[in-house]
Amino acid sequence: MSTRTRTTLLRRLAPALLVVMWSSGFVGATFAAPVAPATTTLLWRYVVAGTLMVVVVLSLGRRYGARYLRREAVLGALGQAGYLYGVFRAVEEGLPAGTAALLASLQPALVAVVMSGFGRGRRAGRGSGGGRRQAVGLAVGFAGVALAVGPDVAAGTGAAGALWAVLGMLSLSAATVLGDLWPAPDEAGEHDVLDSLAVQGVVALGIFAVLAVASGQAAPPADPTFWLAIAWLVGLAFLGGYGMYLYVQRTRGPVAVSTWLYLTPAVSAAWAWAMFGEELPLLTVAGFVVSLAGVLLTRPARRPADETRPEVPAASVRSGP
């Protein structure tokens, strides 16, 4: 298989991998909540992930300039530390994973509106007809999200958990928009997703270390379930989820990557069904189908050159739990 064929295949599979891996983070947060506070879980997630990434980039001899580090540090603080702290605190407050995913999935519409206000609609695939199609797609996608987690919403959730989830969503939205509007330094062309994961991961580690030490929650629990949750969160949610988010964002644009997140509530429910035997309601399945229809509606008309256009390296933000 040629390099060009592999690149094309990855571009086609990346959105589906993003949805699956990103959704795993909500389940991982639920998995860890009974045995450790959110701050403890996030600290040790990044102790493992940050150490791993530092070892990798050092072994590869990667070097970063001050402008690149400054940009990635801000994006990491918002897109990883801010977003994840909101999501994990929401789950800690008792918010069901599906409902947390629902509130987080408000991000696509917010990002689309903000990017449109900054005149970035063309990049997201909007023209005169494309704009109408995208607006309909966003509305259909959100309707599917609401349908998918309808039982959780009907049951009611705590205001504190909902507030934390919304704050996390706003932080991720800010990082996504800022990553597109903030011009990358010239050296960014020499870096890829690996570099963004490494720098942002170390920044998140520093933030969560300060929070954990200040709150007296730095020590990990003895329960082996905790370390299983950490392995899950590092392997699937961090490397898989954030890695795919960065890749899809830089190859398809900020609105496109955000819109795919509409599918995460239903897929999160499917993860919970597979992992914990939770009921998978018919409404969840129906919501997934409706959300998928909304995602497909937002996709721009493809030109032949789109498939062969080389990837333009640019530092970006991450996003999943």
Side-chain angles (χ1 to χ4, degrees):
M1 183 182 296
S2 67
T3 301
R4 179 175 175 178
T5 302
R6 287 196 297 269
T7 301
T8 300
L9 181 61
L10 177 59
R11 280 175 57 88
R12 290 178 174 175
L13 293 179
L17 292 173
L18 163 66
V19 172
V20 173
M21 297 299 184
W22 192 267
S23 301
S24 73
F26 293 98
V27 178
T30 304
F31 194 31
V35 297
T39 306
T40 306
T41 300
L42 288 167
L43 168 63
W44 287 95
R45 163 181 168 154
Y46 278 98
V47 167
V48 175
T51 301
L52 174 64
M53 298 309 296
V54 167
V55 170
V56 171
V57 296
L58 287 179
S59 67
L60 294 175
R62 302 293 179 95
R63 297 290 185 271
Y64 310 115
R67 290 181 61 198
Y68 180 82
L69 290 174
R70 181 166 57 250
R71 182 177 185 274
E72 291 296 316
V74 173
L75 297 180
L78 290 170
Q80 294 207 36
Y83 172 69
L84 291 175
Y85 190 71
V87 169
F88 276 67
R89 281 299 304 269
V91 172
E92 188 176 59
E93 293 286 344
L95 196 71
T99 305
L102 167 65
L103 294 173
S105 70
L106 292 170
Q107 186 217 16
L110 180 58
V111 169
V113 170
V114 174
M115 295 306 296
S116 177
F118 280 99
R120 297 302 181 95
R122 189 173 302 277
R123 176 179 176 183
R126 289 192 295 269
S128 58
R132 289 190 295 272
R133 184 176 65 252
Q134 186 177 73
V136 172
L138 288 168
V140 171
F142 184 72
V145 167
L147 185 64
V149 296
D152 282 342
V153 175
T157 56
L163 178 59
W164 278 113
V166 169
L167 290 175
M169 180 273 295
L170 292 174
S171 185
L172 176 59
S173 299
T176 303
V177 172
L178 187 59
D180 189 71
L181 297 179
W182 190 345
D186 293 338
E187 70 169 287
E190 305 171 4
H191 305 311
D192 53 25
V193 170
L194 174 65
D195 300 294
S196 292
L197 282 175
V199 177
Q200 293 183 23
V202 170
V203 169
L205 169 59
I207 292 173
F208 290 129
V210 171
L211 289 175
V213 171
S215 61
Q217 298 177 331
D223 194 322
T225 302
F226 175 77
W227 295 109
L228 183 59
I230 294 299
W232 175 283
L233 290 167
V234 171
L236 294 179
F238 177 75
L239 297 178
Y242 271 97
M244 284 296 101
Y245 188 94
L246 288 165
Y247 179 79
V248 174
Q249 180 178 348
R250 70 176 56 193
T251 56
R252 294 174 180 259
V255 174
V257 70
S258 296
T259 304
W260 277 99
L261 298 186
Y262 266 145
L263 301 180
T264 56
V267 179
S268 295
W271 270 112
W273 168 76
M275 291 292 299
F276 311 121
E278 294 183 6
E279 182 182 358
L280 187 60
L282 183 60
L283 280 177
T284 297
V285 178
F288 177 85
V289 173
V290 173
S291 295
L292 180 59
V295 168
L296 295 177
L297 279 171
T298 63
R299 297 177 67 188
R302 177 163 301 186
R303 298 187 299 271
D306 289 345
E307 283 297 331
T308 58
R309 181 179 58 191
E311 178 182 339
V312 179
S316 313
V317 51
R318 156 8 263 247
S319 249

